[in-house]
Amino acid sequence: MSVLQDIIAGVREDLDARKATLTLAQLQGLVAQQRPAMDAFAALGGNDNARADLKVIAEVKRRSPSKGDLAGIADPAALARQYEEGGASVISVLTEERRFGGSLADLDAVRAAVGIPVLRKDFTCDPFMIWEARAHGADLVLLIVAALSDEELHDYLALTHQLGMNAVVETHTAEEIDRAVAVGAKLIGINVRNLKTLEVDRSIFAALAGNIPAGPVVIAESGVRDVDDVRHYAAHGAQAILVGEALVKDATPLERISEFKAAGALAISSR
């Protein structure tokens, strides 16, 4: 069993427990009470042909399978507010509990604290989770191409759009990019972390980014340690970066986001 399969097996078990306490009809009732989702595509520069800046998706992330504990984050809302003040365009909140130490309560806290789009970062493997994300105020969900069949990818993306949301469609290979483009993904992430070994290879982004046609926002995922990594991704076509570890382990995440944005803008202007 791969790391991804193992994580999803745990996600399904936890999802079954939540389903035992809340029906889909009840969940849909909660969604009906939510304000409309924010336009994350626009927030990340979508439809802006003159994009000259690098957008940052800043992540609330306590731990990971590859690095273990990263940060306690006793107050995710306070951290998210720092991210927003620093210039983040979207806040990503890990809600997977077993490997990442997240929760839907974290999502609730962040959603109540910031005025920008919020991504529910989890291993979406059931439509129920998309309804769940919207019920808790999320504006985006994560869809990992490697974890979904073509039919699931199509149907899950259609559901996010039906709910007024967006999805970050995560890819790792050229074939997965083709699948993401085929279903009309508007936000395509290239994750440079190997799902089998969990190793990071930043060169993968440069090798794959050119496979994404004009239109979708191109997002670099994983491997951002410092401004050099930001420059590398921006120089090779990234329009946004998703950053977790480098921010949660930094004592001054607000300043770090500002620094990353400045470095990215300079790299983009030099393309």
Side-chain angles (χ1 to χ4, degrees):
M1 180 181 290
S2 72
V3 174
L4 179 62
Q5 290 171 327
D6 186 46
I7 291 173
I8 290 177
V11 168
R12 290 190 181 279
E13 288 182 16
D14 293 340
L15 175 60
D16 287 342
R18 295 196 302 276
K19 281 183 174 182
T21 65
L22 187 69
T23 68
L24 178 58
Q26 290 171 322
L27 193 58
Q28 290 170 335
L30 295 174
V31 169
Q33 298 172 30
Q34 279 288 340
R35 55 150 184 79
M38 294 182 180
D39 188 347
F41 180 64
L44 291 170
N47 293 328
D48 180 2
N49 295 324
R51 285 175 282 203
D53 64 331
L54 184 75
K55 306 295 185 182
V56 174
I57 303 173
E59 194 155 80
V60 176
K61 181 179 183 180
R62 290 189 176 87
R63 61 175 182 260
S64 74
S66 61
K67 296 292 183 69
D69 291 338
L70 300 173
I73 312 182
D75 190 346
L79 178 60
R81 283 192 290 267
Q82 289 189 66
Y83 287 166
E84 182 177 25
E85 188 176 347
S89 296
V90 170
I91 308 297
S92 171
V93 183
L94 261 300
T95 61
E96 197 281 335
E97 183 174 1
R98 298 187 184 202
R99 300 293 190 96
F100 294 87
S103 68
L104 287 167
D106 287 347
L107 181 61
D108 291 336
V110 170
R111 173 68 284 161
V114 300
I116 57 177
V118 175
L119 162 67
R120 181 194 183 179
K121 184 89 174 292
D122 210 319
F123 296 79
T124 308
C125 56
D126 189 296
F128 192 92
M129 295 179 69
I130 301 173
W131 285 98
E132 219 173 28
R134 183 81 280 271
H136 286 267
D139 307 286
L140 308 90
V141 294
L142 178 70
L143 300 179
I144 302 174
V145 174
L148 302 170
S149 68
D150 286 343
E151 182 179 7
E152 287 171 331
L153 185 59
H154 174 275
D155 291 351
Y156 290 9
L157 186 59
L159 178 57
T160 65
H161 292 163
Q162 175 189 326
L163 295 176
M165 306 170 73
N166 281 284
V168 174
V169 180
E170 180 177 295
T171 65
H172 298 81
T173 65
E175 183 268 338
E176 289 178 6
I177 288 174
D178 290 343
R179 292 176 60 198
V181 171
V183 296
K186 297 194 296 181
L187 302 172
I188 299 180
I190 297 175
N191 193 331
V192 302
R193 187 181 300 281
N194 186 301
L195 291 177
K196 295 180 180 178
T197 66
L198 298 182
E199 293 179 352
V200 168
D201 181 354
R202 292 167 188 81
S203 68
I204 289 173
F205 183 84
L208 294 180
N211 293 39
I212 301 176
V217 173
V218 181
I219 304 168
E221 300 181 53
S222 296
V224 176
R225 299 163 298 187
D226 50 37
V227 293
D228 287 339
D229 294 327
V230 173
R231 292 190 193 104
H232 170 76
Y233 287 143
H236 288 93
Q239 294 156 324
I241 54 172
L242 192 153
V243 192
E245 180 182 346
L247 295 179
V248 299
K249 294 176 71 173
D250 196 298
T252 58
L254 187 156
E255 288 83 357
R256 197 64 54 239
I257 291 173
S258 298
E259 184 180 64
F260 286 172
K261 286 176 65 65
L266 183 60
I268 288 173
S269 67
S270 301
R271 283 179 191 166

